[in-house]
Every structure is written in C-alpha cells, then in structure tokens.
Amino acid sequence: MTPKVARYLAEQQPATPCLVLDIDRVESNFRALRAALPLASIYYAVKANPARPVLERLVRLGSSFDAAGIEEVEACLEAGATPACVSYGNTIKKASAIRRAHAAGVTMFAFDSAEELEKLARHAPGSRVYCRILVENAGADWPLSRKFGTDVETARELMLRAGEMGLDPYGLSFHVGSQQTSTAAYEAAIGKVAMLFTDLRDAGVNLRMINLGGGFPTRYRDEVPGIDRFATAIMQAMTGHFGNALPEIVIEPGRFVVGDAGVVSAEVVLVCRRVKDDPIRWVYLDIGRFGGLAETEGEAIKYRITTPHDGGETGPVAIAGPTCDGADIMYERSNYRLPMALASGDRVELLSTGAYVTTYASQRFNGFAPLAEHYI
Amino acid sequence: MTPKVARYLAEQQPATPCLVLDIDRVESNFRALRAALPLASIYYAVKANPARPVLERLVRLGSSFDAAGIEEVEACLEAGATPACVSYGNTIKKASAIRRAHAAGVTMFAFDSAEELEKLARHAPGSRVYCRILVENAGADWPLSRKFGTDVETARELMLRAGEMGLDPYGLSFHVGSQQTSTAAYEAAIGKVAMLFTDLRDAGVNLRMINLGGGFPTRYRDEVPGIDRFATAIMQAMTGHFGNALPEIVIEPGRFVVGDAGVVSAEVVLVCRRVKDDPIRWVYLDIGRFGGLAETEGEAIKYRITTPHDGGETGPVAIAGPTCDGADIMYERSNYRLPMALASGDRVELLSTGAYVTTYASQRFNGFAPLAEHYI
C-alpha cells in the first residue's frame, strides 16, 4: 500500500467496499517499465482498469493503449489519446464495432482467424493487422490459452492473405497468460514467432512488429520476479533472433501498471465457525467474487490481506463474499491465516487490487452495488 | 420460449445482448407452484431476478419474499410488499443492514452462527429467527453446501439461546442446492430437521416453521422432474414426520418462478476454427460468463440455444463470450453442437435465462455494458 493510499484510508475512512488507487503509483510503474524496456512501445491494457484518471495520466506520459472493446477505444479517445495510439486488441469484434473504431481513426487491429480478417478487410480497409499466435501459458496464474490464437501455419497463410485483401500485414502477437511468473514463457514464444517472421519475409511479406502481450506480474501473496528479469530475458531473446534488425516491440501491460497502485478496503461482515470447535473460522467480507474479486476463481490470484490486528495470534480461515451464492468463496484451500481477534465490523485491506477488480464487479448481485472507486 | 417472447423478439428485434422476460409466465409458474404445494408459504428468492415488474406481479399474486440483502428488502417494499411478507434470508448481514431492515418493519431473519444471532438480538430485538442447517447438496447442479449452515447440535444450542436473548426462535431452514433434480435431497433434509424440531420441543422450545429453501429446477438442456414430483415427496416427508401437526412450510423458489420466463437474445460475433481443419468450431457470442451467464462456470448450467439455422446439419462447437478473458468460456466439454451454417451476425437465443443472469452481469468488463432488460 502506498503512503498516499494509507493516509487517505486513515483520514477519509471511505464507505466500504471501495477501491482507493494512487495515480502516482501508476505513473511510477509506467516509468519503471519504460526504463526497463526502453525499446518497447507500451500499450496499456485498458481492461485492467479503464478509469478516466488512469487513462488521462497515461496519456500524459505518452502511453499507447490496447482496447478490448469499442467502448474502451472510445474511452481512450475521450481521455485524450490519439487514434494512432490505440490498438483494438480483441480478436473477436462485431462488424459494427470495427466500423466505429475505424471511423474514429483507429488503424491497428488484432485477429486470429480467417473470418475476422475478412471483417477487417471489409470494415477497416487498409488497416495494420496483426495475428495472434497460440503459445504455451505455463507459469501463468491466470492462463488464457484455449480461447485465442492460432497456429503458425494458419497465421502464415492469413498474413499472406491479409496483403491480398488490402490490409497492411503489420505483425504478430502472442500472450503468455496473465500474472506470468516465468521468463521462459516469453523466450519460447519469441522464438516461435521469430521463425514465422523470417519465413514470411522469405515469402515477400515484411512484418514490422512483434506484440509480446502483457502478463508481467504484480506481487500478491507470493514474491514475483522483478521487471528487470523479464526485460533482460525478452531483449536477449529478441536480439538473439533478430540481431540489429529489431522490429517494433509492443507490450500490453495492465496488471503491472495498475495492480499495486490500488487497495480494496472492505468490512468484515461476520466471523464464525461453521460447527462448534471447527479449527477453521469463516470470514465473510462485504466484497467477494461477484463484487469484483473475480480473479479469486479457483483461488488463482491470492491477494494479501491486512487487518487492524496484524501481529497478533493468527488461525486458519476460509474467506468468502457476502452473497447468498455458494460459489462466492475466495479462499478455502490456500492456507490463509488471519488474526484470532478479527471480528465483524473490522476494516481490512486487500492489497494490489488496482487491476481487474472494478470492471468485473456485478451490477447488483444480491442487491449489492458495485464498489466505490477513489482515484487519488 | 413463450409465444409472447417469440413475438416480441421477431417484431422488435431489440439490440443484443438482452433479456426478454414474459411476466405472465412468472405468474403461471407461481400459480403452478401454489397449486402443487397449497400448504406452503412461497417466499420468492429475489436474487434470482429483482426486476420491479417481476416483484410487482408477485406482490399482486400474494407472494412473500426472501431477500438476500438490504437493497433487496427495500426493493420488495418499494414494489408494494408489506414488511411482514419479507424474510431477510442471508445468514451474513452487516449490523447496519439488520438495523435498516428492522426499522423498515421486517421481523423474520435467518442466521447460522452465534455471532450472527448476537447481532440479531442487538439490532432486531424480538424478531422471529430461523437457523440454517447444513444438509447434503447431492443432485444439485449449483451446490451451495460449504459456505452456509451449521450442524444439528450447534443449531439446537443456538435456538435455545435465541429465546434467552429476547428473540423468537421461529424455525429451521436448509437448502438442498440450486437446480436440484433429486427429490431425495428434500426427503433426507426434512428428516434431519424434523428430529431437531422434536428434540427442541422436548427442551421447551416450540418451533413453528420449516423453511425448505429453494432449488426447484428449471428445464435447461436436460429434462428435469416436474414440480408435482417434488411436491409429493415433500408433503409425504412432512406428514410422515409431523402427522397433522404440520408447522408452517416455507419455500423460497427463485429459478423455478422466473427461469423459463426469460430468454437472452444474443448475436454471434465470430465463428472460427482455432487451427485449420480442427473439427471444433469456436462460437463467440456478445454475452458470456462476465456478461451475466455466470452460472456456466464449470459448465454447471447448460442452457438450450436456438439459432436461425436449426434443423440443418450441425457440428461440435465450443461456446465463449466476447471478452479478452480466457476464463470467459461457457461450454467446451459439454458436447454442444450448433448448425454448420451459423455465422457472425446471426441472432441466437439462450432459453430459460430469466434467473440469475441480469444481476450477475459485470458493470463494464472490457467496456461492455450490461445486457438490456425487457419485461413484457
């Protein structure tokens, strides 16, 4: 938690549940990434947190943007981004959304299938297109592999066809999965994509860009490698494969930029044992899986939790949300321990919750309003 | 799909994704349940669909209401329900929410722990309270077991204590899990609760109510037993255990009342094969797990899907939502087949989506607005 967030929570005691996010931390994360990978173009993954203050700060810092939907494209433009800085990175787009983005001046689009390429040729003629390749997601806490991407052979064919269809075959992309803690995933993926790059050059198509996706981790409960480790591995792999003839390197960080800038403040609604003398206490918070903490599905993302009783004796707990839904359990098997003194009415903080929280929140499950958001 | 919904979709072609729900079907479902279980008090589970037109129609029919949160309590009152007809059925409540409900005139509250009982004694003195017992959820497609309920011994102790604390020890409840397709689950649970009823009577506490929860199934892809089967099993178990001295029987149907009244109309965004010659086509809709179809998690609830090409040749498909999230996959292992002619831009309908859809929808994941709602 940044000192600014800590001070805000202490002084303002905002109603729970809420997110408090330190925009200066967004800036320092962005700067750290730019310093670590000075040759990369940073396209902030808007879906991680599309709040206006975040976008405006990043516009001021010269960031580009990766938008998942037309509403995100428009949010970037409204925050001051130029259309040339916005990539429409979802490989699944309605024709109407492609038309709207193209009309707004967006000229870079992702795809990973023949059908989508045809839509782009029709509704965004002349645009720069890049094809997403399916790569291994081993090492990622939130893997993405099955739904997106295509194999190298299909990508080759599609990139050849793109030029014939009046599009600009611009580059290739991959995604190693979100909260990726292994540098090897990037190295293997770069190797795979580099071969196709060469192969396509021999076939007369000069790609100019490699999009490494996002995935850089934030520290949650466990330590993660620093960004320098990823930067070194990436640049070694890139120069190893491309030498001095480096293509444009695009990265799409979301979690890394906003994750540790935000803290969710929540209230303990109930602490109880399901049956007498059960060693496990159940701790119910006023936010849960359907209130924004969707990434605790399968206990994938393990947030650190601080309480007013930290330092005192602890015991094992299960941690759940406030709804009547039996699936609204965050942690039951991840060996969480919380202070024995924890009780209803206590305020707790879930750290590094700046990414992938506010937007997942259900609009009103069980009647609960989405969490409030404070950008400071 | 009811004829009224079919006509509305054909004539209005409302923008997708949207829910169209036939309020008359809500009424006929309610009437069917009342006819099948004339001795039961029906407390509609508001969380299944809290839309004002649904609540108003049910108020007019004389329904009572099971509210999961204070906002749902207030929605019922605003729709015309009297406070005496509202049960605050979530066993996890903030003190402030209990106070607000009590101040509004609500006098029936659920609990399942000593801590919650203390909160009720302090903030809703004199109220009727009922304790939730943990029972088996076998047979349920959406089980709820681990998070709620306590064992018989703890419940006995808590009900004895309730009277001492100035509360009215009113009854016992259980929940056999949602979309429960086995009547045996109700029979076993009633037997368990009936023993405690007798036991507490011997200890001088005269309970007057048994709350059987909800769980009655809606027909999705597979056939389910009719409501008469459940009614017969329930009444046989009740009379078997209680003879003529039946306590008040409360049921809390949600899915059964609204599920098959609603249809989600969606657009196909993309149909493609991930790699060439893959037998599986991926079908991407403009609604997915984070747009309201949360109950497809783990492929638990299997909606029927109709398309404009029904009757033509079909092939195996995976079905996913429109977001960049790799977890936004509805069906990959459930052997769905859809017509080979299906293509981007086609409208499809997901049947029996009147329950547990609109409220789960994320407020703006990937920028997508929640689905529109039409109550007709």
Side-chain angles (χ1 to χ4, degrees), chain B residues 83-353:
Chain B
C85 290
V86 178
S87 164
Y88 197 153
N90 194 334
T91 60
I92 305 157
K93 299 173 286 296
K94 285 188 181 182
S96 58
I98 296 171
R99 278 197 302 272
R100 263 165 73 183
H102 186 65
V106 172
T107 60
M108 185 150 74
F109 294 86
F111 75 99
D112 60 9
S113 67
E115 289 82 349
E116 189 73 11
L117 189 62
E118 281 157 26
K119 276 195 251 169
L120 291 171
R122 191 167 331 133
H123 303 292
S127 290
R128 293 172 292 161
V129 296
Y130 60 98
C131 185
R132 180 161 168 176
I133 313 283
L134 191 61
V135 300
E136 284 296 320
N137 273 205
D141 284 346
W142 193 257
L144 308 167
S145 63
R146 299 166 303 172
K147 186 178 166 185
F148 303 106
T150 188
D151 63 0
V152 167
E153 295 68 36
T154 310
R156 182 180 189 281
E157 205 178 300
L158 293 175
M159 290 310 276
L160 287 170
R161 222 193 289 174
E164 298 161 13
M165 296 168 85
L167 292 162
D168 177 359
Y170 188 56
L172 299 170
S173 77
F174 59 80
H175 206 298
V176 295
S178 197
Q179 185 69 4
Q180 175 58 260
T181 55
S182 157
T183 59
Y186 289 96
E187 292 162 340
I190 288 170
K192 189 171 183 176
V193 166
M195 288 208 306
L196 179 54
F197 232 76
T198 313
D199 189 31
L200 278 166
R201 191 193 310 131
D202 295 345
V205 177
N206 270 306
L207 304 184
R208 287 109 73 204
M209 182 271 280
I210 287 193
N211 179 329
L212 312 179
F216 305 124
T218 282
R219 199 208 140 170
Y220 294 112
R221 201 175 60 168
D222 302 322
E223 289 287 349
V224 295
I227 191 63
D228 289 338
R229 290 267 298 282
F230 290 96
T232 304
I234 284 169
M235 291 315 296
Q236 276 178 355
M238 287 298 294
T239 51
H241 289 287
F242 291 96
N244 284 332
L246 283 179
E248 182 186 4
I249 300 170
V250 163
I251 54 175
E252 295 171 340
R255 194 185 301 279
F256 182 86
V257 175
V258 289
D260 68 2
V263 168
V264 164
S265 180
E267 184 181 320
V268 175
V269 183
L270 182 69
V271 180
C272 70
R273 295 172 205 269
R274 284 279 123 238
V275 298
K276 228 173 118 177
D277 300 327
D278 190 340
I280 305 290
R281 289 166 301 146
W282 280 77
V283 174
Y284 300 89
L285 304 181
D286 62 0
I287 186 169
R289 277 192 53 205
F290 302 109
L293 306 178
E295 292 198 319
T296 59
E297 179 182 339
E299 312 198 9
I301 298 291
K302 296 180 180 66
Y303 297 113
R304 277 187 291 169
I305 302 175
T306 60
T307 80
H309 311 286
D310 289 352
E313 191 198 349
T314 66
V317 291
I319 306 175
T323 70
C324 278
D325 194 318
D328 187 12
I329 297 173
M330 277 91 82
Y331 305 115
E332 212 185 348
R333 302 180 307 274
S334 296
N335 299 315
Y336 269 80
R337 296 178 69 87
L338 286 175
M340 300 305 293
L342 196 69
S344 305
D346 282 343
R347 282 182 87 117
V348 300
E349 294 86 36
L350 295 105
L351 306 189
S352 296
T353 37

Side-chain angles (χ1 to χ4, degrees), chain B residues 1-11 20-22 24-25 28 260-261 263 376:
Chain B
M1 181 165 7
T2 71
K4 195 160 64 154
V5 170
R7 204 164 50 238
Y8 185 89
L9 284 171
E11 288 172 4
V20 182
L21 190 141
D22 182 347
D24 294 332
R25 181 59 167 258
S28 62
D260 68 2
V263 168
I376 61 174

Side-chain angles (χ1 to χ4, degrees), chain B residues 48-108:
Chain B
N49 189 322
R52 182 68 171 260
V54 171
L55 300 183
E56 285 179 345
R57 179 65 66 96
L58 290 170
V59 166
R60 212 186 312 155
L61 292 166
S63 183
S64 294
F65 297 89
D66 164 48
I70 183 64
E71 295 82 356
E72 286 190 359
V73 168
E74 291 168 348
C76 292
L77 301 179
E78 283 160 20
T82 58
C85 290
V86 178
S87 164
Y88 197 153
N90 194 334
T91 60
I92 305 157
K93 299 173 286 296
K94 285 188 181 182
S96 58
I98 296 171
R99 278 197 302 272
R100 263 165 73 183
H102 186 65
V106 172
T107 60
M108 185 150 74

Side-chain angles (χ1 to χ4, degrees), chain A residues 300-315:
Chain A
I301 298 292
K302 297 179 180 66
Y303 296 114
R304 277 187 291 169
I305 301 175
T306 60
T307 80
H309 311 287
D310 288 352
E313 191 198 349
T314 66

